[in-house]
Amino acid sequence: QVRLVESGGGLVQAGGSLRLSCAVSVNIFTITAMGWYRQAPGKERELVATITRAGPTYANSVKGRFTISRDNAKNTAYLQMNTLKPEDTAVYYCHATIRGLLDLRDYWGQGTQVTVSS
C-alpha cells in the first residue's frame, strides 16, 4: 500500500520561505517521478514542479523561486519555496508516479495549506 505524507505548510509573510516535504511509503515498487501541484480557491489545480530522471520542471510562475528535490534514500521529495508571494497561496498536493508489477500508478497526498500574507 502506498501513502504520501505531506508536511511543511503554514502561514508566512510575503517574501518569506517554506519547505514542503512529501514522504512516500512504498513496499517493493519504484518511484519513477514526484511532483507538486497546487490549487487555489475557485481555480483549477495546476502543476508547480516535477522531478524525474530527466530532471526538474517548473511552472513559469515559480521559476527562480521554487526548487524541487528528492532524497531517494528516504523516499522523500521536497519543495523549497522562496520569495513567496500572496498569489502562491493554495493547497499544495504531492504527487508520485510509482511503477508496480505491471504498470505505472499515480498517487496523491492529502494536501497541505500554504498561506502567504502581504
Side-chain angles (χ1 to χ4, degrees):
Q1 185 175 0
V2 177
R3 292 196 307 160
L4 280 64
V5 180
E6 300 161 329
S7 62
L11 175 64
V12 66
Q13 292 182 327
S17 299
L18 287 172
R19 190 175 79 155
L20 306 182
S21 299
C22 177
V24 182
S25 63
V26 63
N27 294 323
I28 63 172
F29 305 122
T30 301
I31 303 171
T32 62
M34 296 193 70
W36 292 92
Y37 293 71
R38 68 186 182 187
Q39 187 169 20
K43 296 184 178 180
E44 296 287 331
R45 185 175 298 187
E46 64 175 346
L47 173 69
V48 177
T50 61
I51 185 164
T52 68
R53 188 178 181 185
T57 61
Y58 299 94
N60 288 332
S61 60
V62 306
K63 286 181 179 177
R65 299 189 298 119
F66 291 11
T67 302
I68 188 171
S69 61
R70 178 179 170 183
D71 186 335
N72 292 327
K74 297 181 179 180
N75 288 335
T76 301
Y78 305 93
L79 185 68
Q80 178 66 46
M81 304 184 294
N82 297 325
T83 319
L84 283 161
K85 304 175 180 179
E87 49 263 46
D88 295 319
T89 295
V91 177
Y92 284 70
Y93 297 90
C94 182
H95 171 263
T97 300
I98 298 177
R99 182 180 298 279
L101 292 174
L102 299 175
D103 58 3
L104 297 174
R105 304 267 179 145
D106 293 322
Y107 298 88
W108 293 90
Q110 80 285 352
T112 184
Q113 177 71 46
V114 172
T115 302
V116 184
S117 62
S118 60

